[in-house]
Amino acid sequence: MVLSSEFSSLNQKSAEVAEDAGNTGVTGDAEAAGDNEDVRLIPIPRLEWSLATESNQPEGEAGSPESVRTGWVHTAPQDQVLDLFRRLGGPEGRLPAPWWLHALHRGEIDTRAEAFRFEDDLHALLIARPGWVFVPWSTAGEIGYWEYGPSDRPPMSVPTTVTLTDQHPGWINIVPAQPEGAATPRVPAPGVSELAAILPRIESW
């Protein structure tokens, strides 16, 4: 596998930690090593995946999905990304992953580039309308979500939000504005063009 120098270096260190753990009889992520009872080891597959999905923070504020797509999962060859995801058990839900990787694994999209175009089209639609802002969120390879600022008004404490999902082929969920402590309903949207048609209604919630 061809990885970035940083990823390769950290991956090597994680392997050395695992080897040392085996030599001392330490296993898992919660066993103590000698007198250092507070020393904990991170399971190697989860550490490896964390490094693979970590994004480099862009200079200044991330203003678009493209500016957040800097991690190994976004830039390495697609077949290597998919192979690592499958090898570490991501399809079974043991590891967090971006929406498109689940869809790619199941054959519901053909390429990662197709997913990136979808993210960019959704961003272009929302950011062109007053009140919508992009909120970067680089956890586990995800790029972020979009909030509608005017909906954040009393008694609402959470604004209307558009998120990405792999749970249905529209790839978009809408979370209506809600007060603190309320249930979190998710309204599936059938796609970017269909979302454009219902945005005026969504903005009135």
Side-chain angles (χ1 to χ4, degrees):
M1 184 185 306
V2 179
L3 307 177
S4 68
S5 58
E6 179 183 6
F7 182 65
S8 299
S9 175
L10 292 172
N11 196 36
Q12 178 63 32
K13 290 179 182 178
S14 69
E16 291 171 356
V17 169
E19 183 177 356
D20 291 342
N23 293 336
T24 58
V26 179
T27 59
D29 63 341
E31 304 253 347
D35 294 331
N36 297 327
E37 295 183 355
D38 59 339
V39 174
R40 290 163 112 54
L41 296 178
I42 301 173
I44 298 306
R46 185 168 290 275
L47 175 58
E48 185 174 5
W49 187 245
S50 176
L51 295 171
T53 55
E54 184 179 15
S55 293
N56 299 319
Q57 294 299 319
E59 294 184 6
E61 185 177 355
S64 68
E66 182 180 11
S67 65
V68 183
R69 294 194 293 254
T70 60
W72 183 84
V73 294
H74 305 110
T75 58
Q78 178 181 296
D79 58 343
Q80 293 184 15
V81 174
L82 194 54
D83 176 70
L84 183 65
F85 176 66
R86 290 168 172 166
R87 182 161 53 82
L88 297 182
E92 286 72 45
R94 293 197 292 266
L95 297 172
W99 69 275
W100 53 262
L101 194 45
H102 289 284
L104 190 64
H105 162 70
R106 296 193 299 259
E108 295 169 351
I109 59 173
D110 295 326
T111 66
R112 179 180 56 188
E114 177 184 337
F116 290 172
R117 285 193 298 271
F118 183 89
E119 292 175 347
D120 292 340
D121 289 347
L122 177 58
H123 178 72
L125 168 67
L126 294 175
I127 211 68
R129 297 180 67 88
W132 287 96
V133 295
F134 174 66
V135 181
W137 180 44
S138 57
T139 300
E142 293 286 12
I143 53 94
Y145 53 92
W146 295 262
E147 289 182 345
Y148 184 58
S151 66
D152 189 8
R153 59 187 182 274
M156 305 304 180
S157 60
V158 179
T160 297
T161 304
V162 170
T163 65
L164 293 157
T165 181
D166 70 297
Q167 298 171 349
H168 58 82
W171 314 129
I172 300 169
N173 277 341
I174 306 160
V175 182
Q178 58 197 284
E180 185 175 359
T184 307
R186 287 176 170 79
V187 181
V192 173
S193 59
E194 293 81 359
L195 176 63
I198 62 175
L199 268 177
R201 179 161 57 90
I202 291 170
E203 293 168 351
S204 70
W205 290 349

